Amino acid sequence: MKIVYLAPHLSTGGCPQFILKRIQSLLAHTEGIEVYVVEYSYHGDAYVVQRNAIKQLLGKNFGAHFSTKVEIADYIGLINPDIIHIDEMSERLDREMIVSLYNHNRSYRIIETCHDVSFVPETKIFIPDAFAFCSPYHLDTFASVDGYKQVIEYPIEFNFMGWNEKVGAQSNL
């Protein structure tokens, strides 16, 4: 299985940290998964601890610095993913790129995560196959939007076959 995370940016903040922890968790607890990260906007080299960690973790599977946003969709198409996880509401990204990713002949599933409270769900145009929210608040906020919804709270907690582990800012929890 191939998963592509489309990150709005990988500078400092909660979104890059949340992406990093999900990648670490996937790689630690699953087999046969290829993970890729594509950075939508590059904000610079300062305060990029999570970006550097993701880049080191993924090596050649880290994609950044595209000339146009449509090149991002082309790059993702070359990967031929099973899942594209957009860590932003699609409406906030380049429309031509999103239309390309949401085409009706796609072979992959799309998941979106909303990371803030400022997006108005009534303005949602592109409906993903699922939402992976980082807060229970979004379940109420997006109640009127169709689609499967799941909350992945941070720190990420695993309960796999009776084994329980939290992965977060304090990994010893």
Side-chain angles (χ1 to χ4, degrees), residues 157-165:
E157 187 171 326
F158 284 92
N159 191 355
F160 180 71
M161 296 177 61
W163 184 63
N164 196 357
E165 175 185 339

Side-chain angles (χ1 to χ4, degrees), residues 11-172:
S11 58
T12 191
C15 177
Q17 178 70 8
F18 194 51
I19 292 170
L20 172 61
K21 293 304 175 185
R22 283 182 288 158
I23 292 168
Q24 289 172 331
S25 300
L26 274 172
L27 295 177
H29 299 286
T30 57
E31 293 182 21
I33 290 185
E34 291 180 53
V35 178
Y36 297 80
V37 171
V38 177
E39 188 174 27
Y40 180 80
S41 292
Y42 177 68
H43 291 226
D45 288 329
Y47 310 111
V48 290
V49 173
Q50 292 92 357
R51 183 182 194 275
N52 290 342
I54 292 169
K55 189 175 179 180
Q56 182 178 3
L57 192 62
L58 298 182
K60 67 178 178 54
N61 290 0
F62 180 82
H65 300 295
F66 295 92
S67 298
T68 68
K69 301 305 181 195
V70 174
E71 285 182 11
I72 293 173
D74 293 343
Y75 176 75
I76 291 172
L78 292 174
I79 294 170
N80 191 25
D82 297 293
I83 296 172
I84 298 175
H85 192 132
I86 304 170
D87 268 274
E88 182 61 271
M89 294 290 95
S90 294
E91 291 74 12
R92 291 180 170 165
L93 304 177
D94 179 81
R95 186 171 182 93
E96 187 178 358
M97 179 194 73
I98 292 300
V99 167
S100 176
L101 292 177
Y102 265 92
N103 78 59
H104 295 290
N105 296 322
R106 61 186 164 96
S107 60
Y108 48 82
R109 301 285 188 178
I110 296 178
I111 300 170
E112 288 187 16
T113 296
C114 188
H115 287 274
D116 64 49
V117 297
S118 66
F119 185 81
V120 179
E122 291 75 27
T123 64
K124 192 84 180 104
I125 298 168
F126 301 98
I127 306 299
D129 297 293
F131 291 96
F133 296 128
C134 56
S135 162
Y137 168 84
H138 291 106
L139 289 176
D140 293 332
T141 306
F142 282 79
S144 64
V145 178
D146 290 335
Y148 178 80
K149 300 167 186 87
Q150 182 69 46
V151 175
I152 305 171
E153 289 190 74
Y154 185 83
I156 297 169
E157 187 171 326
F158 284 92
N159 191 355
F160 180 71
M161 296 177 61
W163 184 63
N164 196 357
E165 175 185 339
K166 286 187 179 182
V167 178
Q170 297 178 347
S171 60
N172 60 343

